[in-house]
Amino acid sequence: MSSPADPAGGSHWFFRGMRGIFSLPAIILMSAFVGFCGFAVEAGIPLGQTVFMTGMIWALPAKVLLVGSILAGASLPAAFLTVALSSIRLMPMVAALIPEIRTEKTPTWLLLLLSHFVAITAYVFTMERIRDVPREHRVAFFAGFGITVTSANIILVSVIYSTVSNLPAMVAGALFFLTPVYFLTSIWASTRERAGHIAMVIGLALGPLFHQIAPEFDILYAGIVGGTLAFLADRLWKRGAAS
């Protein structure tokens, strides 16, 4: 419930969400997009397609997987399956976030639209702050942050696309390295279940192996095998603790 001391309404909280662009998670994400842009340039992805990919394929891991699939010469169905499976991980985030921001009057179409902006950065940023936002303004707060971060990265990629290829090799490599570092740290920090941490460790260990066996599907296989083994290990762990 909002109180008489609350600021003037949804527009205020929308701009409060927009201010999140200056937060550390948003800055790290934008830095990682610099690395992604360099990756796209090296892969020969045209500017228009890179910008379109930035806005329409959310979040960053799916874009990296798509570019990686293109470089590996994977077929269209294989690339589609890889990107789709990587995005399934966002479904629990949507399921956890929507009940926190919706009200009885929130239209379904608006929630479906805003679900496009749900990713690790937006999820973590919003869940850490949403308790301090009046419920009737939470949708506006999330929309302000999600739309602003996405738009800022579209502009960023558009501006630096032509210059990132001219950077020294060491600088370009360091910027690109921000992308996997961002993935690992963000996913590890946002994972609340032990199985998620186990899956990450096993997946990282199996990645190089599957890259030698099946380079077109290495990430897919590492994810499936790592996730399955992590699930089984977590079940055995809980069963042993209960006995």
Side-chain angles (χ1 to χ4, degrees), residues 60 131 167 185 201:
L60 188 53
R131 300 294 183 183
L167 291 174
T185 56
V201 173

Side-chain angles (χ1 to χ4, degrees), residues 161-213:
Y161 182 89
S162 60
T163 59
V164 71
S165 59
N166 298 323
L167 291 174
M170 183 66 70
V171 176
L175 290 174
F176 176 68
F177 190 66
L178 287 173
T179 303
V181 169
Y182 169 76
F183 291 166
L184 291 174
T185 56
S186 298
I187 295 174
W188 187 275
S190 62
T191 300
R192 296 292 180 261
E193 296 292 333
R194 179 175 52 240
H197 292 143
I198 298 174
M200 287 186 63
V201 173
I202 297 177
L204 287 171
L206 293 178
L209 173 63
F210 282 120
H211 182 71
Q212 299 298 323
I213 298 175

Side-chain angles (χ1 to χ4, degrees), residues 68-86:
S69 298
I70 294 173
L71 287 175
S75 63
L76 182 60
F80 172 81
L81 181 61
T82 302
V83 173
L85 289 176
S86 76

Side-chain angles (χ1 to χ4, degrees), residues 45-83:
I45 308 298
L47 171 61
Q49 294 181 21
T50 303
V51 173
F52 180 81
M53 193 184 303
T54 301
M56 298 306 297
I57 302 177
W58 200 249
L60 188 53
K63 286 186 270 288
V64 173
L65 288 174
L66 178 57
V67 175
S69 298
I70 294 173
L71 287 175
S75 63
L76 182 60
F80 172 81
L81 181 61
T82 302
V83 173

Side-chain angles (χ1 to χ4, degrees), residues 9-18 101 110 114 133 135-146:
S11 60
H12 168 83
W13 289 103
F14 184 87
F15 286 111
R16 284 281 295 270
M18 289 181 64
I101 67 174
L110 180 58
L114 293 179
V133 181
R135 176 166 285 276
E136 62 270 25
H137 301 313
R138 291 179 179 180
V139 168
F141 178 80
F142 175 75
F145 180 75

Side-chain angles (χ1 to χ4, degrees), residues 55-59 87-99 101-102 106-120 122-123 126 138-139 142-144 146-147 150:
M56 298 306 297
I57 302 177
W58 200 249
S87 299
I88 289 177
R89 67 192 172 82
L90 303 177
M91 291 179 63
M93 299 183 194
V94 175
L97 180 63
I98 293 302
I101 67 174
R102 72 181 305 176
T106 307
T108 302
W109 67 265
L110 180 58
L111 296 174
L112 291 173
L113 176 64
L114 293 179
S115 66
H116 173 70
F117 303 101
V118 177
I120 292 175
Y123 174 79
T126 304
R138 291 179 179 180
V139 168
F142 175 75
I147 293 173
T150 305

